[in-house]
Amino acid sequence: MKPTVEICGITLSSCVINGAGPQDESLDNLRRLGESASGAITVKSATKEPRGGNPEPRWHDAEPASLNAMGLPNLGYAEYAKVIPELKEAYGKPVIGSVSGFSVEDNLAMIKAYDQAGADIIEVNVACPNTETEVVGYDFEQFTKVLPAYRRSTAKPLAVKLPPYTTNGQFDKAVAAIKIAGIDMVVSINTIGQTTEVDVETGQTVLAATNGFGGMSGEAVMPIALGNVRHLAARLGPDFPIIGIGGVTSGKDAFKHLLCGAHAVGVATEYMKHGPEVFGRISG
Ligand code: DHB
């Protein structure tokens, strides 16, 4: 695989990077990512205030799927903004700041703070399924309205992390909004929301939070992720940067994302399960 890749003028030292999600919320996690073979350090999707996240159990491995209802545990954007210059200096690789605020105002404030802190790419996550707020990536009226405001708030490369779509109409609407707003890059896919698993011994759902529902990730989502990347690439064109994410456990999986039109590949669940060595193994 091509070892380095340029996206929006930013050089990733490897086209395999961590996706915002697991093991990227503490400063230790971020330093470990800096030391790893990940081509960038993607920071956990932040909220304005620090959050402990949802009650446990909030992650469940049901191979080949994983379910999570983490609920955005994170240190709050201000802590991450503080550490971004140090991470860039220490590891010499790009830092991707991800925001997942509970309002447009929260996201605008966080985007501006990450811009000033020197984040190389800023990702707006409109797809987290595990909080009380609606998934804006599925509400196309809202999605179309908010993207231009986010775009105007920074001159940095601005990415949108999308939920998985399953109809042509959804892809058409999402891409129209992305083009109108002048978004630079997309990250696809986030987890598949509102999934569940039941323990037959207890009759209870395996996740405690959000009424037993959570987002599904892992190997099982690969065909959905590849379909999304391919649909988006067809509509956005071959030069539009796409980070493909979903189901990647091997170099072959990452290559499939590239073949479907991704420019770089995110890894989250496999990293959660096996730690930072996965980046070298997958890009190897
Ligand atoms: C969480 C889950 C997601 O799928 C995501 O994109 C961001 C955050 C979470 O619950 O923490």
Side-chain angles (χ1 to χ4, degrees), residues 81-158:
K82 242 190 284 173
V83 82
I84 285 172
E86 175 204 313
L87 292 171
K88 287 184 55 153
E89 170 76 20
Y91 303 108
K93 58 170 90 164
V95 173
I96 303 175
S98 177
V99 304
S100 189
F102 293 117
S103 68
V104 176
E105 292 69 32
D106 282 5
N107 278 338
L108 290 172
M110 292 191 281
I111 292 169
K112 284 179 189 157
Y114 280 176
D115 178 323
Q116 281 165 17
D120 297 279
I121 295 169
I122 302 171
E123 167 189 288
V124 184
N125 181 356
V126 294
C128 176
N130 297 330
T131 62
E132 296 302 308
T133 45
E134 249 326 298
V135 175
V136 170
Y138 288 129
D139 177 349
F140 294 107
E141 200 179 323
Q142 185 70 0
F143 186 68
T144 306
K145 209 163 96 188
V146 297
L147 288 192
Y150 297 148
R151 172 67 289 172
R152 281 193 300 273
S153 67
T154 181
K156 298 266 180 177
L158 188 66

Side-chain angles (χ1 to χ4, degrees), residues 164 188-189 192 221-230 244-247 257 260:
S188 169
I189 57 173
I192 299 155
V221 310
M222 180 82 161
I224 302 169
L226 292 179
N228 272 253
V229 169
R230 195 165 144 84
I245 176 164
H257 270 273
C260 285

